[in-house]
Amino acid sequence: AKLVVTLGNHATQTAVRDITHIPILATMIIAPDDIRSSPNTTAVLLDFSLETQIQWMKRIVPNAGTVGVLFNPKENRIKVDAASKAAKGAGLTLVPKSVETPRSLPDALDDIARTVDVLWGIPDSLVMTPQTAEPILLNTLKNKIPLVGLSASWVKAGALYALDRDYVDIGIQSGELAGKLLNGASANSIPHAYPRKVAYVLNLNTANLINLELPQDLIRGALQVFQ
């Protein structure tokens, strides 16, 4: 083989562990954590850059000044530190709250609800799960805090909005990078790529419940609107 293409975290972890002499293109992974130590690997990620996520947060919730994020420090410390810098650069204050066990989530939710204008959900295997979705959604709705969800399913359940991907374009990006690698470019010379196209989904019922008026052009531009 001249190139190995992986889909998903488990396939990527296995390839990175066992293959060191062939270029690897990782796809369908959220973050670059699994490839950081592999010089023969680059990726097209599913997650958007922190700057892009914050830019959209400011557009959809323009009056937000403080942004809360709940996270497991063993999993997301590096990301949250980088997000603090990115938020500061955009004129926002990030309020991080670590959650080290599922039992500590309710108290962390109550604490952060008193101090933030919006709660930013980031991929986290301890905090943002199917089991924690209901208490997080109920808390944010009760306190009238916009929740940035992880996906359309979170928005359907009550989050205000979530960014979504154009998977066809992600496939095109992957093909473009594969072509470069097959033509001799080294993987460590190609930075991992974020999705180029941003789509978003909205929940108008949630917007009404938290007394947030969304501009009509923003509503018209949504990939999907729940109401």
Side-chain angles (χ1 to χ4, degrees):
K2 294 182 179 180
L3 173 67
V4 173
V5 179
T6 64
L7 288 89
N9 290 331
H10 293 306
T12 299
Q13 292 164 6
T14 302
V16 165
R17 183 186 66 228
D18 295 341
I19 300 172
T20 59
H21 60 291
I22 301 172
I24 299 172
L25 173 61
T27 68
M28 301 300 289
I29 63 174
I30 294 291
D33 300 346
D34 292 330
I35 67 169
R36 291 189 194 279
S37 60
S38 178
N40 61 312
T41 305
T42 189
V44 178
L45 306 176
L46 289 178
D47 210 4
F48 293 98
S49 72
L50 294 171
E51 290 75 15
T52 295
Q53 294 181 63
I54 290 170
Q55 174 189 351
W56 277 91
M57 193 183 304
K58 291 187 68 173
R59 180 179 176 186
I60 295 176
V61 195
N63 294 327
T66 55
V67 178
V69 60
L70 300 170
F71 71 104
N72 174 12
K74 293 180 180 178
E75 181 177 347
N76 273 313
R77 171 63 68 187
I78 294 174
K79 181 172 184 175
V80 168
D81 288 345
S84 293
K85 296 179 181 177
K88 185 177 181 180
L92 299 175
T93 300
L94 193 72
V95 180
K97 185 75 175 177
S98 63
V99 179
E100 298 187 5
T101 67
R103 288 184 177 182
S104 62
L105 179 61
D107 288 340
L109 265 171
D110 289 338
D111 288 345
I112 209 165
R114 301 188 188 102
T115 57
V116 301
D117 301 318
V118 58
L119 184 62
W120 180 14
I122 64 174
D124 191 296
S125 60
L126 191 153
V127 177
M128 302 293 285
T129 71
Q131 292 72 35
T132 63
E134 184 175 353
I136 290 174
L137 289 163
L138 288 175
N139 186 288
T140 53
L141 290 172
K142 180 184 72 174
N143 290 289
K144 299 187 183 301
I145 298 172
L147 172 65
V148 182
L150 299 181
S151 63
S153 60
W154 276 83
V155 178
K156 184 179 181 180
L160 175 65
Y161 80 93
L163 299 185
D164 207 346
R165 295 98 183 155
D166 183 326
Y167 287 96
V168 172
D169 193 62
I170 287 176
I172 294 171
Q173 279 183 274
S174 301
E176 292 170 355
L177 291 194
K180 291 179 181 179
L181 293 166
L182 289 171
N183 285 326
S186 61
N188 61 7
S189 71
I190 302 176
H192 57 258
Y194 295 103
R196 293 180 295 201
K197 294 185 178 180
V198 180
Y200 58 95
V201 293
L202 297 171
N203 189 318
L204 289 189
N205 187 46
T206 296
N208 291 332
L209 286 172
I210 64 176
N211 301 321
L212 178 67
E213 186 174 349
L214 297 172
Q216 287 300 312
D217 62 331
L218 193 68
I219 297 171
R220 286 192 297 268
L223 178 68
Q224 191 173 9
V225 176
F226 297 99
Q227 54 186 336

PDB file of all heavy atoms in Angstrom, residues 93-120:
ATOM      1  N   THR A  93     -15.104  35.751  27.903  1.00  0.00           N
ATOM      2  CA  THR A  93     -14.458  35.142  29.066  1.00  0.00           C
ATOM      3  C   THR A  93     -14.945  33.715  29.207  1.00  0.00           C
ATOM      4  O   THR A  93     -16.151  33.485  29.357  1.00  0.00           O
ATOM      5  CB  THR A  93     -14.776  35.922  30.350  1.00  0.00           C
ATOM      6  OG1 THR A  93     -14.315  37.264  30.219  1.00  0.00           O
ATOM      7  CG2 THR A  93     -14.097  35.271  31.551  1.00  0.00           C
ATOM      8  N   LEU A  94     -14.028  32.758  29.131  1.00  0.00           N
ATOM      9  CA  LEU A  94     -14.395  31.364  29.309  1.00  0.00           C
ATOM     10  C   LEU A  94     -14.352  31.011  30.794  1.00  0.00           C
ATOM     11  O   LEU A  94     -13.393  31.330  31.494  1.00  0.00           O
ATOM     12  CB  LEU A  94     -13.433  30.456  28.537  1.00  0.00           C
ATOM     13  CG  LEU A  94     -13.900  29.003  28.381  1.00  0.00           C
ATOM     14  CD1 LEU A  94     -15.058  28.923  27.394  1.00  0.00           C
ATOM     15  CD2 LEU A  94     -12.761  28.101  27.922  1.00  0.00           C
ATOM     16  N   VAL A  95     -15.422  30.374  31.264  1.00  0.00           N
ATOM     17  CA  VAL A  95     -15.503  29.946  32.662  1.00  0.00           C
ATOM     18  C   VAL A  95     -15.499  28.417  32.673  1.00  0.00           C
ATOM     19  O   VAL A  95     -16.544  27.777  32.497  1.00  0.00           O
ATOM     20  CB  VAL A  95     -16.780  30.485  33.339  1.00  0.00           C
ATOM     21  CG1 VAL A  95     -16.835  30.035  34.793  1.00  0.00           C
ATOM     22  CG2 VAL A  95     -16.843  31.998  33.239  1.00  0.00           C
ATOM     23  N   PRO A  96     -14.325  27.791  32.832  1.00  0.00           N
ATOM     24  CA  PRO A  96     -14.268  26.327  32.819  1.00  0.00           C
ATOM     25  C   PRO A  96     -14.591  25.737  34.183  1.00  0.00           C
ATOM     26  O   PRO A  96     -14.242  26.302  35.221  1.00  0.00           O
ATOM     27  CB  PRO A  96     -12.811  26.045  32.431  1.00  0.00           C
ATOM     28  CG  PRO A  96     -12.046  27.232  32.919  1.00  0.00           C
ATOM     29  CD  PRO A  96     -12.993  28.404  32.916  1.00  0.00           C
ATOM     30  N   LYS A  97     -15.274  24.617  34.177  1.00  0.00           N
ATOM     31  CA  LYS A  97     -15.616  23.922  35.412  1.00  0.00           C
ATOM     32  C   LYS A  97     -15.318  22.438  35.209  1.00  0.00           C
ATOM     33  O   LYS A  97     -15.938  21.777  34.368  1.00  0.00           O
ATOM     34  CB  LYS A  97     -17.101  24.119  35.739  1.00  0.00           C
ATOM     35  CG  LYS A  97     -17.538  23.526  37.066  1.00  0.00           C
ATOM     36  CD  LYS A  97     -17.064  24.362  38.223  1.00  0.00           C
ATOM     37  CE  LYS A  97     -17.585  23.857  39.542  1.00  0.00           C
ATOM     38  NZ  LYS A  97     -17.083  24.625  40.698  1.00  0.00           N
ATOM     39  N   SER A  98     -14.364  21.927  35.963  1.00  0.00           N
ATOM     40  CA  SER A  98     -13.975  20.535  35.792  1.00  0.00           C
ATOM     41  C   SER A  98     -14.998  19.610  36.443  1.00  0.00           C
ATOM     42  O   SER A  98     -15.562  19.916  37.493  1.00  0.00           O
ATOM     43  CB  SER A  98     -12.583  20.290  36.372  1.00  0.00           C
ATOM     44  OG  SER A  98     -12.573  20.517  37.763  1.00  0.00           O
ATOM     45  N   VAL A  99     -15.219  18.481  35.797  1.00  0.00           N
ATOM     46  CA  VAL A  99     -16.128  17.447  36.286  1.00  0.00           C
ATOM     47  C   VAL A  99     -15.360  16.128  36.234  1.00  0.00           C
ATOM     48  O   VAL A  99     -15.088  15.613  35.146  1.00  0.00           O
ATOM     49  CB  VAL A  99     -17.404  17.353  35.433  1.00  0.00           C
ATOM     50  CG1 VAL A  99     -18.329  16.258  35.957  1.00  0.00           C
ATOM     51  CG2 VAL A  99     -18.133  18.690  35.398  1.00  0.00           C
ATOM     52  N   GLU A 100     -15.010  15.606  37.392  1.00  0.00           N
ATOM     53  CA  GLU A 100     -14.148  14.425  37.420  1.00  0.00           C
ATOM     54  C   GLU A 100     -14.917  13.124  37.604  1.00  0.00           C
ATOM     55  O   GLU A 100     -14.385  12.047  37.328  1.00  0.00           O
ATOM     56  CB  GLU A 100     -13.088  14.585  38.514  1.00  0.00           C
ATOM     57  CG  GLU A 100     -12.186  15.787  38.259  1.00  0.00           C
ATOM     58  CD  GLU A 100     -11.021  15.868  39.232  1.00  0.00           C
ATOM     59  OE1 GLU A 100     -10.863  14.930  40.034  1.00  0.00           O
ATOM     60  OE2 GLU A 100     -10.288  16.859  39.174  1.00  0.00           O
ATOM     61  N   THR A 101     -16.160  13.198  38.052  1.00  0.00           N
ATOM     62  CA  THR A 101     -17.004  12.009  38.187  1.00  0.00           C
ATOM     63  C   THR A 101     -18.430  12.369  37.806  1.00  0.00           C
ATOM     64  O   THR A 101     -18.836  13.541  37.909  1.00  0.00           O
ATOM     65  CB  THR A 101     -17.004  11.467  39.641  1.00  0.00           C
ATOM     66  OG1 THR A 101     -17.650  12.423  40.493  1.00  0.00           O
ATOM     67  CG2 THR A 101     -15.589  11.202  40.138  1.00  0.00           C
ATOM     68  N   PRO A 102     -19.228  11.404  37.372  1.00  0.00           N
ATOM     69  CA  PRO A 102     -20.629  11.706  37.043  1.00  0.00           C
ATOM     70  C   PRO A 102     -21.401  12.303  38.219  1.00  0.00           C
ATOM     71  O   PRO A 102     -22.292  13.132  38.022  1.00  0.00           O
ATOM     72  CB  PRO A 102     -21.193  10.339  36.641  1.00  0.00           C
ATOM     73  CG  PRO A 102     -20.009   9.569  36.160  1.00  0.00           C
ATOM     74  CD  PRO A 102     -18.865  10.016  37.024  1.00  0.00           C
ATOM     75  N   ARG A 103     -21.056  11.905  39.433  1.00  0.00           N
ATOM     76  CA  ARG A 103     -21.779  12.415  40.602  1.00  0.00           C
ATOM     77  C   ARG A 103     -21.554  13.901  40.835  1.00  0.00           C
ATOM     78  O   ARG A 103     -22.391  14.566  41.470  1.00  0.00           O
ATOM     79  CB  ARG A 103     -21.342  11.647  41.859  1.00  0.00           C
ATOM     80  CG  ARG A 103     -21.854  10.213  41.914  1.00  0.00           C
ATOM     81  CD  ARG A 103     -21.464   9.555  43.224  1.00  0.00           C
ATOM     82  NE  ARG A 103     -22.008   8.204  43.328  1.00  0.00           N
ATOM     83  CZ  ARG A 103     -21.857   7.427  44.381  1.00  0.00           C
ATOM     84  NH1 ARG A 103     -21.172   7.860  45.439  1.00  0.00           N
ATOM     85  NH2 ARG A 103     -22.376   6.212  44.400  1.00  0.00           N
ATOM     86  N   SER A 104     -20.424  14.413  40.346  1.00  0.00           N
ATOM     87  CA  SER A 104     -20.134  15.836  40.575  1.00  0.00           C
ATOM     88  C   SER A 104     -20.787  16.745  39.536  1.00  0.00           C
ATOM     89  O   SER A 104     -20.729  17.971  39.662  1.00  0.00           O
ATOM     90  CB  SER A 104     -18.621  16.071  40.577  1.00  0.00           C
ATOM     91  OG  SER A 104     -18.046  15.738  39.329  1.00  0.00           O
ATOM     92  N   LEU A 105     -21.427  16.154  38.521  1.00  0.00           N
ATOM     93  CA  LEU A 105     -22.026  16.964  37.460  1.00  0.00           C
ATOM     94  C   LEU A 105     -23.160  17.868  37.941  1.00  0.00           C
ATOM     95  O   LEU A 105     -23.181  19.055  37.590  1.00  0.00           O
ATOM     96  CB  LEU A 105     -22.510  16.071  36.313  1.00  0.00           C
ATOM     97  CG  LEU A 105     -23.184  16.798  35.143  1.00  0.00           C
ATOM     98  CD1 LEU A 105     -22.230  17.783  34.490  1.00  0.00           C
ATOM     99  CD2 LEU A 105     -23.701  15.796  34.112  1.00  0.00           C
ATOM    100  N   PRO A 106     -24.114  17.393  38.744  1.00  0.00           N
ATOM    101  CA  PRO A 106     -25.213  18.289  39.160  1.00  0.00           C
ATOM    102  C   PRO A 106     -24.725  19.533  39.889  1.00  0.00           C
ATOM    103  O   PRO A 106     -25.213  20.647  39.617  1.00  0.00           O
ATOM    104  CB  PRO A 106     -26.058  17.396  40.076  1.00  0.00           C
ATOM    105  CG  PRO A 106     -25.793  16.010  39.611  1.00  0.00           C
ATOM    106  CD  PRO A 106     -24.343  16.001  39.209  1.00  0.00           C
ATOM    107  N   ASP A 107     -23.783  19.380  40.826  1.00  0.00           N
ATOM    108  CA  ASP A 107     -23.269  20.546  41.545  1.00  0.00           C
ATOM    109  C   ASP A 107     -22.517  21.479  40.605  1.00  0.00           C
ATOM    110  O   ASP A 107     -22.621  22.709  40.716  1.00  0.00           O
ATOM    111  CB  ASP A 107     -22.341  20.107  42.684  1.00  0.00           C
ATOM    112  CG  ASP A 107     -23.113  19.479  43.840  1.00  0.00           C
ATOM    113  OD1 ASP A 107     -24.331  19.724  43.927  1.00  0.00           O
ATOM    114  OD2 ASP A 107     -22.495  18.740  44.628  1.00  0.00           O
ATOM    115  N   ALA A 108     -21.752  20.910  39.670  1.00  0.00           N
ATOM    116  CA  ALA A 108     -21.019  21.734  38.712  1.00  0.00           C
ATOM    117  C   ALA A 108     -21.985  22.522  37.832  1.00  0.00           C
ATOM    118  O   ALA A 108     -21.754  23.703  37.533  1.00  0.00           O
ATOM    119  CB  ALA A 108     -20.104  20.856  37.857  1.00  0.00           C
ATOM    120  N   LEU A 109     -23.073  21.886  37.431  1.00  0.00           N
ATOM    121  CA  LEU A 109     -24.092  22.568  36.627  1.00  0.00           C
ATOM    122  C   LEU A 109     -24.699  23.740  37.396  1.00  0.00           C
ATOM    123  O   LEU A 109     -24.845  24.847  36.856  1.00  0.00           O
ATOM    124  CB  LEU A 109     -25.198  21.589  36.246  1.00  0.00           C
ATOM    125  CG  LEU A 109     -25.116  20.890  34.895  1.00  0.00           C
ATOM    126  CD1 LEU A 109     -26.184  19.813  34.810  1.00  0.00           C
ATOM    127  CD2 LEU A 109     -25.264  21.882  33.755  1.00  0.00           C
ATOM    128  N   ASP A 110     -25.061  23.496  38.645  1.00  0.00           N
ATOM    129  CA  ASP A 110     -25.661  24.560  39.453  1.00  0.00           C
ATOM    130  C   ASP A 110     -24.692  25.719  39.654  1.00  0.00           C
ATOM    131  O   ASP A 110     -25.077  26.890  39.595  1.00  0.00           O
ATOM    132  CB  ASP A 110     -26.099  24.005  40.815  1.00  0.00           C
ATOM    133  CG  ASP A 110     -27.310  23.094  40.713  1.00  0.00           C
ATOM    134  OD1 ASP A 110     -28.047  23.209  39.723  1.00  0.00           O
ATOM    135  OD2 ASP A 110     -27.499  22.262  41.621  1.00  0.00           O
ATOM    136  N   ASP A 111     -23.420  25.408  39.892  1.00  0.00           N
ATOM    137  CA  ASP A 111     -22.419  26.460  40.105  1.00  0.00           C
ATOM    138  C   ASP A 111     -22.230  27.316  38.861  1.00  0.00           C
ATOM    139  O   ASP A 111     -22.201  28.546  38.936  1.00  0.00           O
ATOM    140  CB  ASP A 111     -21.074  25.832  40.515  1.00  0.00           C
ATOM    141  CG  ASP A 111     -21.099  25.284  41.928  1.00  0.00           C
ATOM    142  OD1 ASP A 111     -22.024  25.635  42.684  1.00  0.00           O
ATOM    143  OD2 ASP A 111     -20.191  24.500  42.270  1.00  0.00           O
ATOM    144  N   ILE A 112     -22.111  26.655  37.729  1.00  0.00           N
ATOM    145  CA  ILE A 112     -21.785  27.398  36.516  1.00  0.00           C
ATOM    146  C   ILE A 112     -22.986  28.184  36.010  1.00  0.00           C
ATOM    147  O   ILE A 112     -22.834  29.239  35.370  1.00  0.00           O
ATOM    148  CB  ILE A 112     -21.228  26.443  35.433  1.00  0.00           C
ATOM    149  CG1 ILE A 112     -20.257  27.186  34.504  1.00  0.00           C
ATOM    150  CG2 ILE A 112     -22.341  25.772  34.632  1.00  0.00           C
ATOM    151  CD1 ILE A 112     -19.404  26.277  33.656  1.00  0.00           C
ATOM    152  N   ALA A 113     -24.200  27.708  36.320  1.00  0.00           N
ATOM    153  CA  ALA A 113     -25.404  28.403  35.852  1.00  0.00           C
ATOM    154  C   ALA A 113     -25.534  29.792  36.468  1.00  0.00           C
ATOM    155  O   ALA A 113     -26.208  30.663  35.908  1.00  0.00           O
ATOM    156  CB  ALA A 113     -26.639  27.568  36.173  1.00  0.00           C
ATOM    157  N   ARG A 114     -24.894  30.013  37.596  1.00  0.00           N
ATOM    158  CA  ARG A 114     -24.999  31.321  38.267  1.00  0.00           C
ATOM    159  C   ARG A 114     -24.093  32.381  37.637  1.00  0.00           C
ATOM    160  O   ARG A 114     -24.259  33.559  37.928  1.00  0.00           O
ATOM    161  CB  ARG A 114     -24.614  31.174  39.743  1.00  0.00           C
ATOM    162  CG  ARG A 114     -25.461  30.183  40.532  1.00  0.00           C
ATOM    163  CD  ARG A 114     -25.133  30.252  42.006  1.00  0.00           C
ATOM    164  NE  ARG A 114     -25.781  29.195  42.771  1.00  0.00           N
ATOM    165  CZ  ARG A 114     -25.162  28.108  43.198  1.00  0.00           C
ATOM    166  NH1 ARG A 114     -23.875  27.947  42.953  1.00  0.00           N
ATOM    167  NH2 ARG A 114     -25.821  27.179  43.883  1.00  0.00           N
ATOM    168  N   THR A 115     -23.143  31.958  36.822  1.00  0.00           N
ATOM    169  CA  THR A 115     -22.099  32.907  36.412  1.00  0.00           C
ATOM    170  C   THR A 115     -21.914  33.074  34.911  1.00  0.00           C
ATOM    171  O   THR A 115     -21.100  33.905  34.500  1.00  0.00           O
ATOM    172  CB  THR A 115     -20.749  32.467  37.004  1.00  0.00           C
ATOM    173  OG1 THR A 115     -20.448  31.133  36.571  1.00  0.00           O
ATOM    174  CG2 THR A 115     -20.776  32.503  38.524  1.00  0.00           C
ATOM    175  N   VAL A 116     -22.640  32.316  34.073  1.00  0.00           N
ATOM    176  CA  VAL A 116     -22.352  32.377  32.638  1.00  0.00           C
ATOM    177  C   VAL A 116     -23.583  32.798  31.844  1.00  0.00           C
ATOM    178  O   VAL A 116     -24.720  32.684  32.290  1.00  0.00           O
ATOM    179  CB  VAL A 116     -21.827  31.018  32.118  1.00  0.00           C
ATOM    180  CG1 VAL A 116     -20.563  30.615  32.864  1.00  0.00           C
ATOM    181  CG2 VAL A 116     -22.888  29.927  32.227  1.00  0.00           C
ATOM    182  N   ASP A 117     -23.311  33.291  30.632  1.00  0.00           N
ATOM    183  CA  ASP A 117     -24.376  33.698  29.721  1.00  0.00           C
ATOM    184  C   ASP A 117     -24.737  32.596  28.729  1.00  0.00           C
ATOM    185  O   ASP A 117     -25.812  32.634  28.119  1.00  0.00           O
ATOM    186  CB  ASP A 117     -23.938  34.941  28.930  1.00  0.00           C
ATOM    187  CG  ASP A 117     -23.610  36.106  29.839  1.00  0.00           C
ATOM    188  OD1 ASP A 117     -24.356  36.322  30.804  1.00  0.00           O
ATOM    189  OD2 ASP A 117     -22.596  36.797  29.587  1.00  0.00           O
ATOM    190  N   VAL A 118     -23.844  31.655  28.514  1.00  0.00           N
ATOM    191  CA  VAL A 118     -24.075  30.557  27.582  1.00  0.00           C
ATOM    192  C   VAL A 118     -23.241  29.369  28.038  1.00  0.00           C
ATOM    193  O   VAL A 118     -22.153  29.540  28.593  1.00  0.00           O
ATOM    194  CB  VAL A 118     -23.731  30.969  26.121  1.00  0.00           C
ATOM    195  CG1 VAL A 118     -22.296  31.413  26.004  1.00  0.00           C
ATOM    196  CG2 VAL A 118     -24.019  29.834  25.138  1.00  0.00           C
ATOM    197  N   LEU A 119     -23.765  28.159  27.830  1.00  0.00           N
ATOM    198  CA  LEU A 119     -23.023  26.945  28.160  1.00  0.00           C
ATOM    199  C   LEU A 119     -22.616  26.277  26.856  1.00  0.00           C
ATOM    200  O   LEU A 119     -23.455  25.970  26.015  1.00  0.00           O
ATOM    201  CB  LEU A 119     -23.873  25.992  28.998  1.00  0.00           C
ATOM    202  CG  LEU A 119     -23.167  24.712  29.485  1.00  0.00           C
ATOM    203  CD1 LEU A 119     -21.988  25.054  30.402  1.00  0.00           C
ATOM    204  CD2 LEU A 119     -24.148  23.795  30.207  1.00  0.00           C
ATOM    205  N   TRP A 120     -21.331  26.024  26.717  1.00  0.00           N
ATOM    206  CA  TRP A 120     -20.752  25.486  25.491  1.00  0.00           C
ATOM    207  C   TRP A 120     -20.478  24.002  25.679  1.00  0.00           C
ATOM    208  O   TRP A 120     -19.643  23.622  26.489  1.00  0.00           O
ATOM    209  CB  TRP A 120     -19.474  26.258  25.202  1.00  0.00           C
ATOM    210  CG  TRP A 120     -18.721  25.868  23.971  1.00  0.00           C
ATOM    211  CD1 TRP A 120     -19.155  25.094  22.931  1.00  0.00           C
ATOM    212  CD2 TRP A 120     -17.392  26.277  23.632  1.00  0.00           C
ATOM    213  NE1 TRP A 120     -18.177  24.985  21.980  1.00  0.00           N
ATOM    214  CE2 TRP A 120     -17.089  25.705  22.383  1.00  0.00           C
ATOM    215  CE3 TRP A 120     -16.440  27.070  24.269  1.00  0.00           C
ATOM    216  CZ2 TRP A 120     -15.857  25.887  21.761  1.00  0.00           C
ATOM    217  CZ3 TRP A 120     -15.216  27.262  23.650  1.00  0.00           C
ATOM    218  CH2 TRP A 120     -14.930  26.685  22.407  1.00  0.00           C
TER     219      TRP A 120
END
